[in-house]
Amino acid sequence: MKTRALFTTAVCCALLVPALEAKAQDETVVVEETAVLSEVPCDTHYYVTKHDNWFIQFGAGVAVPFVEGRNAQGDRESHFTVNYNVGFGKWFSPYLGWRLAFNGGPLHYERDGMNKFKYVGANLDFMWDMFNSLGGVNSKRVFSIIPFVGLGGTYAWDFNPTGNIASRHGGTKDNSWTLPVSGGLQMRFRLCKYVDFFAEARASFYGDNWNNIAEGRPVDINVTVNGGFAITFGGRDYRSYNPCDYLGYINNLNDQVNDLRGALTTTAAALAAAEAQLPCPEVVEAEATVIEAAPLMATVRFTLNSSKISDIEMVNVFNIAQWMKENPEQTVAIAGYADKDTGTSTYNMELSKRRAEAVRDALVNKYGINPDRLSLSAEGSDVQPYDVNNWNRIVIFNVAQ
């Protein structure tokens, strides 16, 4: 193609738009960056997805009731008995969580001799990670203190002796249902990413009929102390984002826009100069100028440890597909990358390959691009095209040579 000759002909013989000459007189419009940087607070925000930080726990300890009753000397006396504890729950933020905890066992106390009964209870607890709230979020903290409060229900039975609460059918009741409120404190020790050891104390407050005896003070109390293990599925961890992570990327795009506007101003000035030389000089053919291949402006960014293309980034894949349809003679190289701060070099190489393949598959299967026009390369984390680490979770397009 005689590109220089065609360009001269187009300049001299086409209908020139006066508005372009006026635009040539204008200065380049610069996109401001400072306002964006100063208005956005660069605070890191932590969150938990609906699939993360589910846990189960199991343990055992002791329980001691504080109810009606005195020993032979007239003193209140309770006995320690074994207590069992299981539960499950979820941390829905680094600071707050919930769990459904079950506990039970036998209880003994003195009242004109030994009194015994058994109980089982369930409590819905709301937990607060005090250290994450006051000392900053750290999923690897070795020791944490977690206060909690709860509401629940308790069933008690097998009273010996039976008690003094009458049943509806005559005689005395042989079981009781109560709705306690409780509170306590848990100390958590991190053993590894998935397992914690915990020790906790809970005080549960019941109505006076809990032990099937109603007299004296109106509130019965049960104190439990348990130790055990909590297993977190997938490991205890939190996700984070900082709005400033993307400001450098946005400013880089602003710089590209300003460069293009400067080039448009230069082109408009050259067009005005060519118009001033009308009528057209004789066309002189010249050899075609070879334009070297250059990187395409569109990229596809990915989230941490993911090769899934988001709906927002799919716009860039669509733009590349449209460009390739408008330039059917061009081929495109797809290069995948991963950030070096997470994962091993071997894993990141495979992750970058999956990212490049995901983009290639979208171009072929969704937008009908011939796969012969696409080539893939996986750079892993050994090559980092950007100084900001988070930007390197990316696929970059280049015009293939």
Side-chain angles (χ1 to χ4, degrees), residues 281-300:
E282 183 180 354
V283 174
V284 178
E285 293 186 359
E287 294 296 327
T289 301
V290 178
I291 301 176
E292 295 183 356
L296 300 175
M297 290 183 61
T299 60
V300 180

Side-chain angles (χ1 to χ4, degrees), residues 8 25 59 69 91 93 109 113 138 165 177 222 226 251 266 271 280 283 299 319 331 341 356 370 389 393:
T8 306
Q25 310 295 327
W91 289 96
S93 80
Y109 65 96
N138 181 3
I165 298 179
W177 284 96
N222 186 35
N226 291 300
N251 291 334
T266 302
L271 184 60
C280 297
V283 174
T299 60
N319 289 337
T331 58
D341 283 356
N370 188 335
N389 185 58
R393 304 163 192 156

Side-chain angles (χ1 to χ4, degrees), residues 304-375:
L304 180 66
N305 193 29
S306 174
S307 59
K308 181 180 179 181
I309 304 173
S310 67
D311 292 340
I312 295 176
E313 295 299 322
M314 189 61 76
V315 173
N316 294 329
V317 180
F318 171 81
N319 289 337
I320 288 296
Q322 292 300 107
W323 181 87
M324 295 189 71
K325 291 177 181 179
E326 295 169 0
N327 298 271
E329 75 287 352
Q330 295 288 357
T331 58
V332 169
I334 303 172
Y337 298 86
D339 69 275
K340 65 181 179 181
D341 283 356
T342 56
T344 64
S345 178
T346 301
Y347 179 82
N348 287 337
M349 184 63 69
E350 178 62 27
L351 176 60
S352 67
K353 180 182 178 183
R354 294 202 306 270
R355 287 170 173 169
E357 289 174 342
V359 172
R360 186 269 314 277
D361 293 344
L363 286 170
V364 173
N365 300 327
K366 190 167 185 174
Y367 299 114
I369 301 301
N370 188 335
D372 295 337
R373 297 177 60 194
L374 303 170
S375 62

Side-chain angles (χ1 to χ4, degrees), residues 2 5 14 27 43 71 119 226 247 294 298 315 322 327 344 375 383:
K2 312 299 184 186
E27 294 184 357
D43 298 327
N71 60 19
Y119 83 103
N226 291 300
L247 289 181
V315 173
Q322 292 300 107
N327 298 271
T344 64
S375 62
V383 177

Side-chain angles (χ1 to χ4, degrees), residues 215-244:
E215 65 180 31
R217 57 190 179 190
V219 177
D220 291 338
I221 303 173
N222 186 35
V223 175
T224 59
V225 178
N226 291 300
F229 299 93
I231 301 173
T232 302
F233 298 103
R236 176 157 50 92
D237 204 356
Y238 314 111
R239 306 194 184 196
S240 65
Y241 72 93
N242 190 317
C244 294

Side-chain angles (χ1 to χ4, degrees), residues 71-86:
N71 60 19
Q73 289 74 37
D75 300 323
R76 294 186 182 274
E77 182 176 337
S78 297
H79 296 268
F80 290 94
T81 57
V82 67
N83 177 261
Y84 303 98
N85 172 272
V86 295

Side-chain angles (χ1 to χ4, degrees), residues 377-392:
S377 64
E379 305 297 338
S381 55
D382 297 334
V383 177
Q384 301 284 273
Y386 296 106
D387 292 336
V388 179
N389 185 58
N390 289 347
W391 299 1
N392 293 304

